[in-house]
Amino acid sequence: MWEDLEVTLEKIENEKKKEKPSAEELGFGIHFTDHMFMMEWNRESGWHDAKICPYQDFRMDPAALVFHYGQAIFEGLKAYRGKDGQVYMFRPEDNFERMNSSAVRMCMPRLPVDKVLKSIKALLYLEKDWIPVAEGASLYIRPTMIAVEPRLGVRAADTYYFYIILSPVGAYYPEGFNPTKIYVSDEHARAAKGGVGQAKTAGNYAASLFTTQRAKKEGYTQVLWLDACEHKYIEEVGTSNIFFVIGDELVTPPLGGSILEGITRDSVLKLAEMWGVNTMERPISIDEVIQASRDGSLKEAFGTGTAAVISPVGEFYYKGETFSVNNGETGELSEKLYCELQAIQKGETEDPFQWVERVG
Ligand SMILES: *Cc1c(COP(=O)(O)O)cnc(C)c1O
């Protein structure tokens, strides 16, 4: 199996295997499995030296370009173990197509999607005992690409690493599906049109830390980002896309270059349309949302992303005032979307769009 992928396999010695965390210890992104996938790129050879090897440190030159100018991109997806014992991935090809779009924007090499998918399946098969079985738990997959050439000078690197690490993660809602409180920033922005907001690139997340810390200090979980130009139109919430139910319409901001094209966002739009929900991608101003909260037409608000799938919003803060959504309770559509998406992701229900990929 490994030979025809031209991927070498170096297994960890049995006695060096880590102890697996218990369901209570899981958390998010704390524990990592015993093996990783790794390959290198340079101009002469393209991608080469692909291997599945023990999880290990890198040796890197302190002048590596990634440390100075942030040429780094990543992805996030999950593998689930279904009740039938099978391992499932959700829309993995879309993640690697998106990674290639990020790569193009950041002047990095594109990935051979087929080959990477096969390697991920091989890695998951090897690490299948790490996929937690607890309710809501999964194995988070983090593909990453970084510029490793040592050079001080702002330009695209000539050498890169691509690697995939795996982290068993617990239920995102250990205390149940409770709505979060979010902080609307009218001062900072996540990304501007013409910038790199559409790419899953490291700097976007560094840029968000300051405002997120401020929100947390004020008792809010996430920042609701407005557009960088007028601070008027809603863009995203934390590292998730955002949806509102206003009247009988499910609305989300249109992708305009500054918004990350979420795979969960797309899945929600497709499912809701299939159910006959009136869905719209259109600009939504913060004033419209406040007005809808005041007149009672704001029925639901929720974030969408791989980590939490659906994250209901119960309250938001804007310019010294707080506004509640659905009396701080989880809305009907939010709950229905969460249950249906989880069931599809775990292979427990019909998969009308062929989103799920069985491993091994
Ligand atoms: C990853 C990400 C999302 C969600 O994308 P999914 O494919 O649904 O996980 C949304 N916004 C930002 C900024 C992100 O980085």
Side-chain angles (χ1 to χ4, degrees):
M1 183 174 189
W2 321 97
E3 286 75 8
D4 65 13
L5 299 173
E6 301 162 68
V7 177
T8 59
L9 170 66
E10 185 196 329
K11 276 196 190 177
I12 197 167
E13 291 161 43
N14 261 330
E15 56 277 15
K16 288 196 179 148
K17 282 189 177 166
K18 298 173 213 170
E19 202 170 318
K20 296 182 179 61
S22 68
E24 300 75 50
E25 291 167 334
L26 282 173
F28 194 92
I30 302 165
H31 307 278
F32 297 95
T33 70
D34 291 317
H35 296 88
M36 62 195 273
F37 172 84
M38 156 107 205
M39 62 182 180
E40 300 182 32
W41 188 93
N42 62 31
R43 268 180 216 291
E44 304 77 61
S45 321
W47 289 113
H48 62 282
D49 280 354
K51 60 185 182 192
I52 287 172
C53 58
Y55 187 98
Q56 59 192 264
D57 291 350
F58 292 141
R59 256 189 85 86
M60 276 166 65
D61 194 297
L65 279 160
V66 65
F67 296 139
H68 304 272
Y69 312 119
Q71 213 188 357
I73 56 174
F74 65 93
E75 271 301 327
L77 63 157
K78 279 176 172 177
Y80 293 89
R81 192 190 289 279
K83 285 200 183 99
D84 57 3
Q86 296 281 353
V87 176
Y88 297 96
M89 276 190 289
F90 186 68
R91 306 185 66 175
E93 202 172 330
D94 295 300
N95 285 91
F96 289 102
E97 294 296 349
R98 183 170 71 188
M99 193 161 196
N100 276 343
S101 306
S102 299
V104 168
R105 181 66 180 85
M106 304 307 290
C107 299
M108 300 170 91
R110 292 170 60 93
L111 292 163
V113 173
D114 268 13
K115 184 164 175 162
V116 170
L117 279 176
K118 278 186 191 156
S119 304
I120 266 210
K121 286 186 186 171
L123 179 62
L124 283 174
Y125 189 74
L126 184 67
E127 301 287 67
K128 59 184 181 308
D129 293 344
W130 277 92
I131 306 176
V133 290
E135 184 62 36
S138 61
L139 190 66
Y140 187 77
I141 305 169
R142 169 53 59 88
T144 309
M145 196 194 298
I146 53 174
V148 295
E149 183 195 352
R151 175 70 67 106
L152 298 183
V154 181
R155 64 154 173 76
D158 277 334
T159 53
Y160 297 88
Y161 286 172
F162 170 77
Y163 58 92
I164 302 169
I165 52 177
L166 307 174
S167 174
V169 300
Y172 211 84
Y173 305 103
E175 289 109 45
F177 196 50
N178 291 324
T180 54
K181 291 161 67 175
I182 59 175
Y183 176 96
V184 185
S185 178
D186 62 339
E187 188 183 355
H188 302 125
R190 190 192 82 90
K193 279 196 173 50
V196 293
Q198 207 176 347
K200 229 170 162 72
T201 186
N204 285 336
Y205 306 86
S208 74
L209 297 175
F210 184 85
T211 321
T212 308
Q213 265 188 1
R214 174 174 295 178
K216 294 220 160 118
K217 224 196 258 162
E218 305 282 335
Y220 294 87
T221 318
Q222 285 294 357
V223 176
L224 182 72
W225 303 102
L226 303 180
D227 77 277
C229 187
E230 296 179 80
H231 293 297
K232 181 174 171 190
Y233 293 101
I234 286 167
E235 299 229 312
E236 299 202 58
V237 58
T239 57
S240 299
N241 296 112
I242 181 104
F243 283 80
F244 298 91
V245 178
I246 301 176
D248 67 352
E249 206 180 62
L250 176 66
V251 288
T252 192
L255 303 169
S258 54
I259 292 178
L260 203 284
E261 193 171 350
I263 293 163
T264 321
R265 173 186 183 278
D266 181 70
S267 307
V268 162
L269 285 171
K270 293 211 162 86
L271 271 181
E273 266 161 37
M274 189 181 78
W275 293 338
V277 177
N278 191 5
T279 61
M280 275 290 274
E281 291 174 76
R282 63 164 175 84
I284 311 153
S285 68
I286 184 68
D287 293 336
E288 179 186 349
V289 173
I290 287 169
Q291 183 54 39
S293 166
R294 288 205 169 114
D295 71 21
S297 59
L298 177 61
K299 306 260 174 59
E300 302 185 34
F302 58 88
T304 65
T306 295
V309 189
I310 301 287
S311 176
V313 173
E315 182 185 311
F316 61 96
Y317 167 97
Y318 179 61
K319 289 188 175 171
E321 266 188 89
T322 58
F323 302 87
S324 92
V325 184
N326 195 33
N327 296 317
E329 279 161 38
T330 299
E332 208 177 301
L333 187 62
S334 313
E335 177 116 37
K336 186 176 170 192
L337 282 162
Y338 178 73
C339 293
E340 187 67 14
L341 275 168
Q342 278 276 281
I344 294 175
Q345 288 168 336
K346 297 174 89 175
E348 288 166 7
T349 188
E350 202 198 331
D351 174 18
F353 300 97
Q354 267 105 56
W355 281 334
V356 164
E357 196 144 329
R358 227 176 75 179
V359 177

